[in-house]
Amino acid sequence: MAYHVINMEQPAEWDACIQEAVNYDFYHTWHYHALEKNGEPLLFVYTEGEVFIALPLLKREINNSGLFDLTSVYGYSGPVSNRKFIDINDQLLENFKQSFLSFMKTSRFISLFSRLNPFIDQKVLIEKIGGLSGNGKTVYMDLSIPIEEQRAGYEKRLGRQIRQLRKMPYQIKEASSATEISLFTAMYNENMLRLGASQRYFFDETYFTNLLNSKAKECRLIVIYDGTEMICGAVIMCAGNVIRNHLSATANSHIQHSPSKLLTDEISVIGRQLGKRYFHLGGGLEGKEDSLFKFKFSFSTLLLEDSTWRFVSDPLVYNDLVKERNDQSNLNYFPLYRVPAVAV
């Protein structure tokens, strides 16, 4: 039993490992991590016999201190394995835990934050190590049922609105040209400005171009036109038996018409065409049952537990870093020594 670390200079090794997993997401791939600018991507791989457990993470330095912490990419990540976690014996899980703790200690990693994937049974492993934290609920659709049954489950007013939107002379298409990516980028960032989103939700044209350039076509840009004007769009992700709306936007000129409702319904159709079992709509901002959550819930009442992994490997050093930060503005933030400064 041993562990090794795969870095970004080893794309073939990274993806070969991920693709051997029983269940994985696009968020686990080398391609998605190659877009990351908020840390140094690494893939921790523990191997024992024929079983492996792999965990993609981002390494970050803490205030030029010589200390580091670990976080995950934007999206649903967490550990994967070539066995279902529930089928891995308790001793191997314990061995993974000890190896991972040794890795954190040796590499001076003080804490770890990772968003977990609700379609992978990761809790079995995380509960062994500690730090599992609830993050509200997340919404999904079951695409295995007849589409008529799916649409009958929509909130009544929503169903009527979508039927009206389908009567509009809109064109729905997959976009791939540089011009269309540029139009979508501008619309997306305009959307984020209108919503007052934090900086981490803004992305440039290069990001979207590279995201859509994955060889296996896991990501696609689906847009809606009203004549020659792009009025709505979404980057969708496909991996395993799940399709999801990764990032989406509506033009200011058409917000009152809510074309995003039509686009969401259309993504469910695309998911069926691609043979996916689930359409993951996600949850509210920071796990809250806010207006975003209610929008998604109007499409489906099927819910999954959303969870994060918040682990402190060295409590003494962690507490010293928190005291040094001396900020009590958001006690739910993790790690607390990275809580964003409040604008005055």
Side-chain angles (χ1 to χ4, degrees):
M1 51 186 164
Y3 72 81
H4 65 284
V5 176
I6 297 174
N7 60 41
M8 292 306 290
E9 309 304 316
Q10 302 168 282
E13 292 88 342
W14 185 304
D15 278 340
C17 178
I18 294 301
Q19 288 165 11
E20 283 184 35
V22 171
N23 196 357
Y24 70 91
D25 211 306
F26 185 74
Y27 295 116
H28 292 95
T29 64
W30 179 92
H31 183 90
Y32 189 66
H33 280 78
L35 305 174
E36 188 56 57
K37 301 189 186 308
N38 295 315
E40 177 189 338
L42 60 90
L43 182 66
F44 176 89
V45 184
Y46 174 80
T47 305
E48 185 173 331
E50 297 181 353
V51 180
F52 76 79
I53 298 173
L55 177 59
L57 295 162
L58 302 175
K59 174 182 177 179
R60 302 181 299 184
E61 187 171 0
I62 305 172
N63 300 328
N64 300 311
S65 62
L67 302 173
F68 304 87
D69 60 16
L70 296 164
T71 188
S72 61
V73 290
Y74 175 78
Y76 300 91
S77 184
V80 296
S81 175
N82 60 341
R83 300 286 190 276
K84 290 183 178 180
F85 286 110
I86 199 168
D87 294 334
I88 299 177
N89 69 66
D90 196 61
Q91 185 59 57
L92 194 150
L93 295 178
E94 178 63 29
N95 293 343
F96 170 86
K97 172 184 176 179
Q98 295 306 321
S99 290
F100 187 67
L101 292 179
S102 174
F103 163 70
M104 290 194 73
K105 182 177 181 180
T106 302
S107 304
R108 307 190 76 188
F109 292 122
I110 304 306
S111 69
L112 176 154
F113 174 87
S114 179
R115 186 86 179 268
L116 299 181
N117 193 303
F119 292 92
I120 304 175
D121 63 332
Q122 299 163 329
K123 291 184 180 180
V124 176
L125 177 64
I126 306 307
E127 286 171 345
K128 167 67 71 173
I129 300 172
L132 183 67
S133 179
N135 193 49
K137 306 284 186 180
T138 185
V139 182
Y140 73 98
M141 290 186 198
D142 182 355
L143 302 183
S144 68
I145 64 174
I147 194 164
E148 296 78 15
E149 184 179 339
Q150 170 192 305
R151 287 171 172 160
Y154 292 175
E155 188 269 325
K156 287 184 179 180
R157 183 167 174 267
L158 172 67
R160 288 195 301 270
Q161 289 175 320
I162 291 173
R163 288 191 292 273
Q164 289 299 315
L165 286 165
R166 286 209 174 270
K167 294 177 182 177
M168 299 292 288
Y170 294 155
Q171 179 191 10
I172 307 175
K173 59 170 288 191
E174 180 176 347
S176 59
S177 71
T179 299
E180 288 178 307
I181 293 172
S182 179
L183 287 171
F184 175 76
T185 303
M187 180 172 66
Y188 173 82
N189 286 319
E190 184 180 65
N191 219 156
M192 293 300 102
L193 281 171
R194 187 181 70 248
L195 295 171
S198 63
Q199 196 58 41
R200 68 191 180 109
Y201 291 106
F202 287 80
F203 300 96
D204 60 20
E205 194 173 322
T206 300
Y207 172 85
F208 286 112
T209 300
N210 291 336
L211 182 63
L212 294 164
N213 197 32
S214 62
K215 294 178 182 177
K217 292 289 287 180
E218 295 104 333
C219 291
R220 306 177 184 207
L221 176 58
I222 310 299
V223 297
I224 300 178
Y225 280 91
D226 183 0
T228 59
E229 182 185 2
M230 184 185 292
I231 64 169
C232 190
V235 174
I236 60 171
M237 282 184 171
C238 311
N241 57 7
V242 179
I243 186 171
R244 58 168 49 88
N245 179 340
H246 175 54
L247 296 169
S248 59
T250 299
N252 287 343
S253 60
H254 282 68
I255 289 172
Q256 70 274 23
H257 301 303
S258 300
S260 59
K261 295 174 181 177
L262 172 60
L263 184 60
T264 302
D265 182 68
E266 186 65 21
I267 293 171
S268 77
V269 174
I270 294 169
R272 291 168 179 275
Q273 293 169 346
L274 295 174
K276 303 304 177 185
R277 172 71 188 270
Y278 305 109
F279 174 16
H280 187 206
L281 285 78
L285 188 63
E286 297 180 350
K288 298 183 179 73
E289 294 192 4
D290 53 10
S291 59
L292 177 61
F293 176 87
K294 290 173 183 174
F295 171 81
K296 296 170 180 178
F297 192 69
S298 68
F299 282 89
S300 174
T301 57
L302 298 174
L303 300 173
L304 289 169
E305 294 288 335
D306 193 14
S307 302
T308 60
W309 185 12
R310 304 177 176 207
F311 180 71
V312 175
S313 61
D314 193 327
L316 291 176
V317 175
Y318 178 86
N319 290 334
D320 284 343
L321 290 168
V322 172
K323 288 176 185 175
E324 185 179 313
R325 184 70 175 83
N326 191 27
D327 191 328
Q328 301 294 310
S329 60
N330 188 351
L331 294 176
N332 188 47
Y333 197 89
F334 187 88
L336 267 174
Y337 54 79
R338 289 191 182 271
V339 65
V342 178
V344 177

